[in-house]
Amino acid sequence: MKPLKTIIVDDEEFARSSLFFLLQQNCPQIEIIGIAKSVAEAKELLERNHVDVIFLDIAMPGTNGFELIPAATKQQAAVIFTTAYDQYAIRAIKANALDYLLKPIDIDELKEAVDKVEGYLERMAKQGEQDDRMINLGNALAKDAEISKITLPFGQGFKMISVNDILYIEADSNYSVVHLNSEEKITVSKVLREFEELLPSAQFLRVHKSTLVNLDYLVEYNNKNGLQILLKNGVSLNVSRRRATEFFEKIKSLTKP
């Protein structure tokens, strides 16, 4: 594959120079063609050059990195966020961005992110499709709302699903099985903890070490054979003893007038 033409966008000089050095030393497939300290400078680079990858900071004076997303999408450039942003933004990034790196940047995580981008761009070139996850991400943050959709990698592509369509998620070693209300099951290479951190806590609750449930589908709970819950689709799930207190507190909060 040809070198990935890359730009770095960050308002902090140290962050720009350190990332430049890390990429030069550890990612031979990357060709850095420009460095910008603002969204405006980055837009100029995009207008003058073909860009495959953008390493993009979020919090910058005057503007934020998300304002570059429409220009990046137009050129079909992959975006990797480099950020020390707040928890809400991290959740949105996990849901929709190709990848993100928390500052200070870890070398191994950087290599993994670049490898992921390389594979992604190869797939997009073969399929001739444009990825709309950046648009979804920008819209989610602009509305200052909870995440409404997540992207699940499977096979040679990605599947966008609404969080409201998730019945429950069960752990399977280093994988998770996402059960949808359509009866479809999707196995993804994410541990359950990642979904627990990602999905809205008001809607999703860990009821067992291996189960995360969408409480919107809860219709019954009982103590016949240990604490169990029943979902609208007829599936019965166990609630572990150590999570029972949290479960009942959540139920109380949901049933308050």
Side-chain angles (χ1 to χ4, degrees):
M1 187 175 181
K2 295 180 180 179
L4 301 177
K5 296 185 180 299
T6 302
I7 64 173
I8 296 170
V9 186
D10 200 306
D11 65 300
E12 298 179 358
E13 183 178 356
F14 176 76
R16 294 193 301 270
S17 59
S18 61
L19 179 55
F20 178 90
F21 174 78
L22 288 174
L23 288 169
Q24 291 281 75
Q25 295 295 315
N26 299 282
C27 303
Q29 64 270 60
I30 291 290
E31 178 187 351
I32 300 172
I33 63 170
I35 298 177
K37 60 179 181 288
S38 68
V39 169
E41 289 185 7
K43 287 181 178 178
E44 291 180 4
L45 286 172
L46 286 173
E47 289 173 359
R48 298 196 306 265
N49 304 278
H50 168 74
V51 176
D52 297 307
V53 186
I54 303 172
F55 285 89
L56 180 61
D57 184 29
I58 294 177
M60 292 182 282
T63 58
N64 67 60
F66 295 111
E67 295 183 27
L68 188 63
I69 296 305
T73 303
K74 185 177 180 180
Q75 200 173 117
Q76 298 187 5
V79 175
I80 298 175
F81 287 106
T82 58
T83 180
Y85 215 53
D86 63 28
Q87 186 61 29
Y88 172 74
I90 294 300
R91 290 173 61 203
I93 291 166
K94 284 183 178 179
N96 290 304
L98 191 61
D99 213 336
Y100 73 100
L101 297 167
L102 283 175
K103 299 175 182 177
I105 294 173
D106 178 83
I107 294 175
D108 290 333
E109 291 180 357
L110 176 62
K111 290 179 180 179
E112 289 178 8
V114 170
D115 288 342
K116 183 184 295 186
V117 165
E118 193 171 28
Y120 160 79
L121 291 174
E122 287 178 351
R123 289 195 299 272
M124 290 301 104
K126 290 178 181 178
Q127 296 173 7
E129 297 176 355
Q130 183 171 348
D131 188 12
D132 63 354
R133 285 176 296 160
M134 292 297 102
I135 297 174
N136 292 327
L137 172 58
N139 290 340
L141 288 172
K143 293 176 182 177
D144 193 28
E146 289 282 7
I147 292 170
S148 60
K149 290 186 176 181
I150 60 175
T151 303
L152 300 179
F154 74 101
Q156 298 300 311
F158 300 87
K159 188 177 185 68
M160 296 281 305
I161 65 169
S162 167
V163 298
N164 293 325
D165 290 336
I166 300 173
L167 285 169
Y168 65 100
I169 306 172
E170 61 179 341
D172 183 8
S173 186
N174 290 326
Y175 294 83
S176 294
V177 181
V178 182
H179 296 256
L180 304 179
N181 59 11
S182 63
E183 297 187 359
E184 181 181 5
K185 295 189 293 186
I186 303 173
T187 301
V188 295
S189 57
K190 287 187 177 185
V191 295
L192 196 61
R193 176 179 52 79
E194 292 185 68
F195 285 104
E196 185 179 16
E197 294 174 353
L198 169 65
L199 294 168
S201 58
Q203 184 177 358
F204 288 83
L205 181 67
R206 186 84 166 259
V207 297
H208 193 278
K209 66 178 182 180
S210 61
T211 315
L212 181 68
V213 172
N214 185 345
L215 295 174
D216 288 347
Y217 289 96
L218 177 65
V219 294
E220 179 184 317
Y221 59 92
N222 63 73
N223 285 300
K224 294 177 182 177
N225 298 299
L227 183 58
Q228 292 185 322
I229 57 175
L230 182 68
L231 304 183
K232 287 181 180 179
N233 67 336
V235 170
S236 180
L237 300 169
N238 293 323
V239 178
S240 68
R241 187 176 302 174
R242 65 185 297 264
R243 297 187 181 270
T245 300
E246 183 182 1
F247 171 76
F248 284 118
E249 289 298 322
K250 177 67 74 172
I251 295 301
K252 287 180 183 178
S253 67
L254 292 176
T255 55
K256 283 182 180 178

